[in-house]
Amino acid sequence: SGQTAVMSIHKNKDTRYNLRESVKSVTTTARLEYDNIKQGKKHRSKVTQLGRASADELVVYTKTDDPKVAKTQAAAALDNHNEDRLTAEISLPGDYRYVAGNVVHLPFLGKRAGDYLIKQASHRVDRSSGWTATLLCQGNLQDE
């Protein structure tokens, strides 16, 4: 997402988490077709993420004079298409920085450790457990 993590969350006895990875619907290849407005020509190319091609292709059509812009738009379309491929739900002691839109670093997830965008945060205060937060976070699969 380009944002810097506001904090790193470390697992402790009060931290609970559930990690879900969707590989069934992950598309890693976009077939790009774009019209070069100045030249009046159609161009075709492919954009592959995660270092491997998938059986499914996302088709992206755009109009631009710049092939780099077209490839950037195709990569962004792939990111949007695969937005929910890696999600983490975490319950932990509360912190005012746990708000939707912030990025947190989750180092305790082993192979899936990294920066996660907080998509949803709910906070609760009660007498027995104090201030707790439940976060729904979105991560990105990295090249393996």
Side-chain angles (χ1 to χ4, degrees):
S1 71
Q3 285 181 266
T4 303
V6 296
M7 69 185 301
S8 187
I9 297 174
H10 297 280
K11 186 178 174 195
N12 63 37
K13 65 180 180 59
D14 299 319
T15 305
R16 307 279 184 267
Y17 69 93
N18 182 21
L19 185 65
R20 288 183 304 275
E21 182 178 325
S22 171
V23 293
K24 182 179 177 187
S25 62
V26 174
T27 302
T28 60
T29 306
R31 186 176 75 224
L32 171 63
E33 296 182 8
Y34 68 97
D35 293 324
N36 187 312
I37 301 166
K38 288 182 181 174
Q39 296 175 350
K41 293 181 180 179
K42 282 189 184 254
H43 297 277
R44 290 191 174 123
S45 122
K46 283 193 179 191
V47 174
T48 301
Q49 292 181 337
L50 303 175
R52 60 186 184 272
S54 62
D56 297 328
E57 279 187 338
L58 180 66
V59 180
V60 179
Y61 298 99
T62 188
K63 290 184 179 186
T64 182
D65 297 331
D66 189 345
K68 288 181 185 176
V69 170
K71 287 185 178 186
T72 300
Q73 289 174 342
L78 270 175
D79 283 343
N80 282 340
H81 180 76
N82 293 322
E83 185 173 88
D84 295 325
R85 63 187 173 205
L86 184 61
T87 57
E89 185 174 340
I90 307 162
S91 297
L92 68 169
D95 189 292
Y96 70 94
R97 294 171 287 185
Y98 300 150
V99 293
N102 275 350
V103 174
V104 291
H105 184 72
L106 305 177
F108 58 86
L109 295 178
K111 190 170 131 177
R112 297 296 179 225
D115 290 347
Y116 285 71
L117 175 66
I118 300 174
K119 297 291 279 185
Q120 182 179 341
S122 60
H123 296 262
R124 180 179 174 170
V125 178
D126 68 30
R127 290 181 185 171
S128 63
S129 58
W131 181 14
T132 58
T134 301
L135 311 177
L136 182 60
C137 301
Q138 166 194 316
N140 284 317
L141 296 174
Q142 302 297 319
D143 288 339
E144 296 178 343

